[in-house]
Amino acid sequence: MKVMNDSRLVIHQSTPHDKQSSFAEDVRAGLTARPKTLPPKYFYDDLGSQLFEAICLLPEYYSTRAEAEIFHRHAAEIVSQLSAPVGVVELGSGSSVKTRLLIEAILARQPELHYQPMDISASILQHSAEKLLGEYSRLRITGHVGDYTRGLDSIVRRDGESLLALFLGSNIGNYTPEDARSLLKAIRATQRTGDGLLLGADLKKSLDVLIPAYDDALGITAAFNLNLLARINRELGANFDLANFQHRAVFNHEAGRIEMHLVSRSEQTVVIGALDLQIEFQSGETIHTENSYKYDLPQLAALAEETGFQPMKTWLDGERRFSCNFWLAS
């Protein structure tokens, strides 16, 4: 389906039936697995997307501020890595707050820009696109609502245009090393030699900094995690009692990642009506909902070379907590 609001905005949206079917299938598969899991992409319904925007404002959640600092300092240098004209694709665009710094830098060196944000939340994408168009008269937006891992083939470009793909916010950390390589190869397959990828990646650091970023004092991250169960209640007719589950964030030293879990506080049975399914939980049993892998710079350089890119330049924030990496499609 296409939703058109004015001549500068087109939004492509998958059908609600397809999204609902996929959600139900993934919930069934994840909650009947051992150990139990749920895909983190389902955090981002309308409420979940709003909760994540709140997380980005928390003092404990350093990565958003660190990445924004890099863009404030280096946006012009970042976009100069490709010759104009440049088109921009962003995977998991969210509210596009940080991206506007790159948009401004590109518009300072070319007359117009075609920006293609991809996000699973239709409302967040619509709102952010309309806000951007209101601020930048030389901007044109083609939005893609849905799972960006399945929508890469929808990317378009003009003749003679270089393409800059943005994968920001350390979203790459949510993927296992094997899945990260597969996704980056898929991104590379949509690009031509000489296109670019700007990858935001969180760096390894002290647990005194890491753990609070995923378990904040206000409990916003806990609400974000628990909303996944509330979403199953809303959309699939389940009877999860959120008070019977606890948010937990731990660091897996062997894997080099933060893990988020939902922990059953007691032995209990949950019914998911739309799936005609009963799920048994033991006291202390968890649902593994998210990973966030942390990298060092040699690991990132190796990842680029393994997936068809040439690592060209890396920018760090002042505290060296976060990296923005420009890779050239080789």
Side-chain angles (χ1 to χ4, degrees):
M1 179 174 65
K2 294 183 180 180
V3 180
M4 300 188 65
N5 296 89
D6 64 37
S7 60
R8 295 188 295 136
L9 174 60
V10 176
I11 294 181
H12 299 275
Q13 184 168 353
S14 60
T15 64
H17 174 75
D18 289 342
K19 291 195 295 184
Q20 182 73 3
S21 175
S22 177
F23 180 51
E25 291 166 3
D26 288 345
V27 168
R28 180 188 294 275
L31 294 185
T32 56
R34 294 292 183 271
K36 294 179 172 65
T37 64
L38 287 170
K41 66 182 179 181
Y42 293 120
F43 283 135
Y44 300 97
D45 63 351
D46 289 348
L47 177 56
S49 294
Q50 295 290 343
L51 286 168
F52 184 71
E53 295 300 318
I55 288 170
C56 291
L57 300 175
L58 292 169
E60 298 96 330
Y61 198 74
Y62 58 84
S63 62
T64 299
R65 292 188 304 278
E67 193 171 39
E69 175 193 327
I70 292 169
F71 290 169
H72 276 291
R73 291 182 176 181
H74 303 292
E77 184 183 5
I78 290 170
V79 303
S80 72
Q81 302 301 307
L82 291 176
S83 299
V86 173
V88 174
V89 174
E90 183 170 8
L91 285 68
S93 55
S95 61
S96 303
V97 171
K98 293 170 295 185
T99 311
R100 68 186 55 234
L101 299 169
L102 300 177
I103 289 172
E104 290 173 1
I106 293 172
L107 288 174
R109 61 196 291 261
Q110 64 188 55
E112 61 179 2
L113 171 62
H114 184 203
Y115 172 51
Q116 299 180 72
M118 310 178 75
D119 199 87
I120 201 165
S121 171
S123 62
I124 290 288
L125 192 148
Q126 178 88 24
H127 176 75
S128 61
E130 291 174 350
K131 189 171 182 180
L132 286 170
L133 290 175
E135 296 178 13
Y136 304 105
S137 61
R138 293 181 288 131
L139 186 65
R140 183 167 62 91
I141 296 179
T142 303
H144 305 270
V145 178
D147 182 353
Y148 55 73
T149 63
R150 301 175 183 175
L152 291 169
D153 291 340
S154 62
I155 296 169
V156 298
R157 77 163 82 211
R158 292 177 173 177
D159 290 340
E161 184 178 69
S162 299
L163 200 62
L164 175 61
L166 306 178
F167 196 31
L168 307 178
S170 201
N171 285 335
I172 192 65
N174 296 144
Y175 293 85
T176 66
E178 296 78 10
D179 289 342
R181 284 191 289 270
S182 296
L183 176 58
L184 291 168
K185 287 177 180 178
I187 295 171
R188 174 62 186 88
T190 69
Q191 296 186 306
R192 299 173 184 169
T193 300
D195 285 343
L197 170 65
L198 186 66
L199 180 77
D202 199 11
L203 301 177
K204 295 178 178 179
K205 58 184 65 66
S206 166
L207 295 188
D208 292 340
V209 176
L210 276 179
I211 295 297
Y214 295 86
D215 194 7
D216 61 277
L218 283 177
I220 306 299
T221 309
F224 175 70
N225 201 8
L226 286 162
N227 181 59
L228 193 48
L229 302 185
R231 179 178 181 179
I232 298 172
N233 286 350
R234 291 191 297 268
E235 298 185 21
L236 299 179
N239 66 343
F240 279 101
D241 182 346
L242 273 59
N244 283 341
F245 289 84
Q246 178 182 5
H247 166 72
R248 178 184 294 167
V250 296
F251 188 75
N252 183 325
H253 290 271
E254 183 177 356
R257 70 193 187 199
I258 289 281
E259 295 179 0
M260 292 207 323
H261 295 261
L262 291 166
V263 185
S264 178
R265 296 177 183 269
S266 63
E267 184 175 328
Q268 57 184 304
T269 300
V270 174
V271 176
I272 306 178
L275 302 182
D276 192 23
L277 187 65
Q278 289 190 359
I279 304 295
E280 304 292 334
F281 287 90
Q282 300 301 313
S283 179
E285 186 177 4
T286 78
I287 307 171
H288 188 171
T289 55
E290 186 177 48
N291 294 319
S292 184
Y293 285 83
K294 307 305 171 184
Y295 288 90
D296 58 35
L297 297 182
Q299 286 177 317
L300 290 168
L303 186 60
E305 293 167 355
E306 291 168 1
T307 54
F309 293 96
Q310 181 180 357
M312 301 298 292
K313 192 169 180 64
T314 294
W315 298 268
L316 305 177
D317 67 291
E319 296 188 58
R320 303 180 68 85
R321 293 180 173 183
F322 195 88
S323 68
C324 287
N325 307 271
F326 179 79
W327 297 352
L328 197 67
S330 57

